Amino acid sequence: MVTEHAPAPTAQVLVASNRGPITYTLGEDGTLDAKRGGGGLVSGLSAVDDKLWVCAALGDGDREAVRRGVGEPGVRMLDIDAEVHADAYNGIANSVLWFVHHLLYQTPVEPVFDAEFRRQWASYEAYNRAFAQALAEEAAPEASVLVQDYHLALVPGMLRELRPDLRIGHFSHTPWAPVDYFRLLPDDIGEQLLRGILGADRAAFLTRRWADAFMGCCTEILGGTGRTRVGVHGLGADADFLRRRSREADVDERMEALREQVGEDRKTIVRVDRTELSKNIVRGLHAYRTLLETHPEWRERVVHVAFAYPSRQDLAVYRDYTAAVQTLATEINGAYGTESWTPVVLHVKDDFARSLAAYRLADVALVNPIRDGMNLVAKEVPVVSDHGCALVLSREAGAYEELGEDAITVNPYDVVATAQALHEALSMGAEERTGRTKRLAEAATALPPQQWFLDQLEALRQE
């Protein structure tokens, strides 16, 4: 399952995640092109020197790199069988665990935990076991291991059996389901997941709400959390990086293009999301359409700049959702658009520079997820906004815990109330908007990625 290679020096700090800091693309001529990733974990880990990142080979390029022995110091990529990975990643992690923790099931017809589910669950176990074995091989005595997310919920328990000397932490980047919803899972599977995480010395979450939900499940199902301690670390935005990157030339170019699409003297409502089911993009578009219907004074005076970047398109339900977003945007433009005004400017091709340009231009940021572990977009927009931005924020986003006081809060299911919140945000005076933006930015950057990671490491070592 795991490709053999020459033993690497043992590490004092190890991180395990499905996706690593680098991906490889295999060219037609057989060359491998390496591309470094971004995100909070990559940024956070830069604070530690002596570390090893254990991750999965996610595509043909990654697998070929492992076979050729190509890599970079501090990264061990596991060549897990492609079918096993597909079962574990798409079959279980993204189609079961993600749905449970984000409360996404249409319960009259799903889930159905049948023999196929059990077959995929065996792959999830094998996938987690591969990580546990690799970590056990690489870790120095009494090293600290930080396991990331729902993909690897069984790793702490498996690793504890292999290496009881290690300090093991698990961090959940998603919400955690309340006990009644968690119990949709088969009883033995739910218990196995909880015991897997409880193999860690410390289990950590993005907000107190998700930590409390986890402890509630442990108490109800297992009678408690045992020796495992539970903590909270609210990942913040990387202010220095965002402010620097958002002022670079390619962002300025995209701002000019967006201004041309929006038109002169118009306000903007901006959203930037993956077309992930939990992001609630369709209801956001319905709310915008309701705004145009109930407050016709905004027609021709506002544009909804919606960036909906396709996610998990190998799953049919995600392809259908992406198509629904595109269809609804087209309908709104057809119903309300004029020769000189396009009500919805929709982009579905991922472009980070364009996203930053939209952040800078935004008069209103719409962040209305059904449920979200944190939602860094809510934190990033106030940091780079040029002229201040009103934030319309779902109370079901983890970011609500820190930003709710200065945001306009909405129930993500209530389209009418969200439309009214958009009206309130668009009508907000410049002085109030500036003050709110400043306070939002301060809260959003309270725990930047490097400090977020170091705080977890310190807390783990003190257990």
Side-chain angles (χ1 to χ4, degrees):
M1 175 132 333
V2 179
T3 297
E4 296 295 328
H5 63 95
T10 53
Q12 293 294 335
V13 177
L14 300 93
V15 172
S17 64
N18 176 68
R19 183 178 298 278
I22 191 166
T23 57
Y24 294 93
T25 303
L26 184 62
E28 292 183 4
D29 61 353
T31 59
L32 285 169
D33 181 44
K35 180 181 179 182
R36 292 200 63 83
L41 192 57
V42 173
S43 180
L45 269 167
S46 66
V48 180
D49 290 327
D50 179 22
K51 62 179 180 290
L52 178 71
W53 193 325
V54 178
C55 58
L58 298 184
D60 292 340
D62 288 354
R63 293 190 178 90
E64 184 61 24
V66 175
R67 293 180 190 121
R68 294 183 190 179
V70 174
E72 66 173 61
V75 178
R76 179 172 172 183
M77 196 173 275
L78 307 182
D79 185 11
I80 297 168
D81 179 83
E83 291 186 5
V84 170
H85 183 271
D87 284 343
Y89 182 72
N90 283 328
I92 299 298
N94 289 340
S95 295
V96 176
L97 302 184
W98 182 274
F99 273 61
V100 167
H101 289 315
H102 290 85
L103 317 185
L104 291 176
Y105 279 123
Q106 295 180 330
T107 52
V109 294
E110 58 181 10
V112 178
F113 295 121
D114 53 11
E116 174 63 9
F117 163 77
R118 293 286 174 171
R119 186 192 68 77
Q120 292 181 327
W121 183 257
S123 292
Y124 182 79
E125 292 175 317
Y127 170 74
N128 275 252
R129 194 172 299 112
F131 271 85
Q133 290 170 346
L135 291 164
E137 291 169 7
E138 300 284 4
E142 300 182 354
S144 299
V145 181
L146 288 146
V147 181
Q148 305 297 312
D149 231 353
Y150 60 103
H151 314 92
L152 302 176
L154 304 182
V155 168
M158 292 174 171
L159 184 57
R160 175 67 62 205
E161 292 184 4
L162 295 170
R163 291 288 303 274
D165 62 301
L166 299 178
R167 295 276 186 178
I168 304 172
H170 186 276
F171 194 92
S172 292
H173 295 262
T174 65
W176 192 272
V179 64
D180 287 346
Y181 206 89
F182 186 79
R183 280 191 143 163
L184 289 177
L185 291 167
D187 291 352
D188 61 317
I189 299 298
E191 183 172 331
Q192 189 179 354
L193 282 166
L194 294 175
R195 292 194 186 282
I197 292 178
L198 293 179
D201 297 284
R202 194 167 187 274
F205 298 84
L206 286 165
T207 73
R208 173 50 54 189
R209 181 182 179 186
W210 312 142
D212 288 347
F214 172 76
M215 290 189 290
C217 288
C218 290
T219 300
E220 186 74 18
I221 295 169
L222 301 178
T225 56
R227 60 184 289 278
T228 303
R229 298 293 171 260
V230 178
V232 174
H233 302 276
L235 174 63
D238 188 341
D240 292 340
F241 165 75
L242 288 168
R243 287 174 178 143
R244 181 180 69 254
R245 181 69 182 86
S246 66
R247 294 304 188 273
E248 291 181 5
D250 59 341
V251 177
D252 290 335
E253 290 172 8
R254 283 156 177 79
M255 281 187 70
E256 289 305 312
L258 283 174
R259 282 196 184 101
E260 189 173 330
Q261 287 182 294
V262 169
E264 292 293 328
D265 300 322
R266 289 188 177 125
K267 289 183 178 289
T268 57
I269 299 170
V270 168
R271 79 171 306 134
V272 177
D273 282 307
R274 292 175 294 108
T275 51
E276 160 56 54
L277 306 182
S278 64
K279 298 300 184 182
N280 210 22
I281 302 169
V282 169
R283 284 194 192 88
L285 287 168
H286 280 302
Y288 178 63
R289 180 163 63 182
T290 301
L291 170 74
L292 298 179
E293 184 63 32
T294 57
H295 290 279
E297 66 269 24
W298 288 114
R299 296 179 193 176
E300 305 237 25
R301 293 179 53 214
V302 65
V303 172
H304 186 12
V305 179
F307 296 164
Y309 301 141
S311 172
R312 301 175 184 170
Q313 295 299 289
D314 44 354
L315 296 176
V317 66
Y318 285 86
R319 293 194 299 272
D320 292 344
Y321 190 74
T322 301
V325 169
Q326 293 172 306
T327 297
L328 184 51
T330 300
E331 289 177 1
I332 294 170
N333 286 337
Y336 294 98
T338 66
E339 190 174 328
S340 60
W341 172 56
T342 303
V344 181
V345 171
L346 176 67
H347 286 284
V348 295
K349 184 178 180 181
D350 196 351
D351 185 330
F352 183 56
R354 187 174 57 206
S355 297
L356 291 174
Y359 289 178
R360 289 179 57 186
L361 284 174
D363 295 293
V364 177
L366 175 58
V367 181
N368 67 320
I370 292 169
R371 195 168 166 88
D372 216 335
M374 176 56 71
N375 196 294
L376 281 178
V377 171
K379 292 187 168 186
E380 291 168 352
V381 178
V383 172
V384 301
S385 171
D386 279 0
H387 306 293
C389 178
L391 175 63
V392 175
L393 180 64
S394 166
R395 67 191 185 197
E396 300 303 314
Y400 169 74
E401 194 166 291
E402 298 161 82
L403 307 183
E405 189 173 332
D406 284 295
I408 300 172
T409 306
V410 294
N411 171 348
Y413 299 96
D414 191 338
V415 168
V416 172
T418 301
Q420 188 57 33
L422 291 173
H423 172 67
E424 181 184 342
L426 289 166
S427 305
M428 188 180 293
E431 185 175 347
E432 180 183 356
R433 191 173 64 183
T434 299
R436 287 193 187 215
T437 302
K438 182 180 178 181
R439 293 189 295 273
L440 286 167
E442 289 172 352
T445 56
L447 193 62
Q450 289 194 2
Q451 194 59 48
W452 168 80
F453 185 80
L454 289 173
D455 283 1
Q456 290 178 66
L457 188 59
E458 181 65 22
L460 179 62
R461 288 171 167 170
Q462 290 178 354
E463 290 296 328

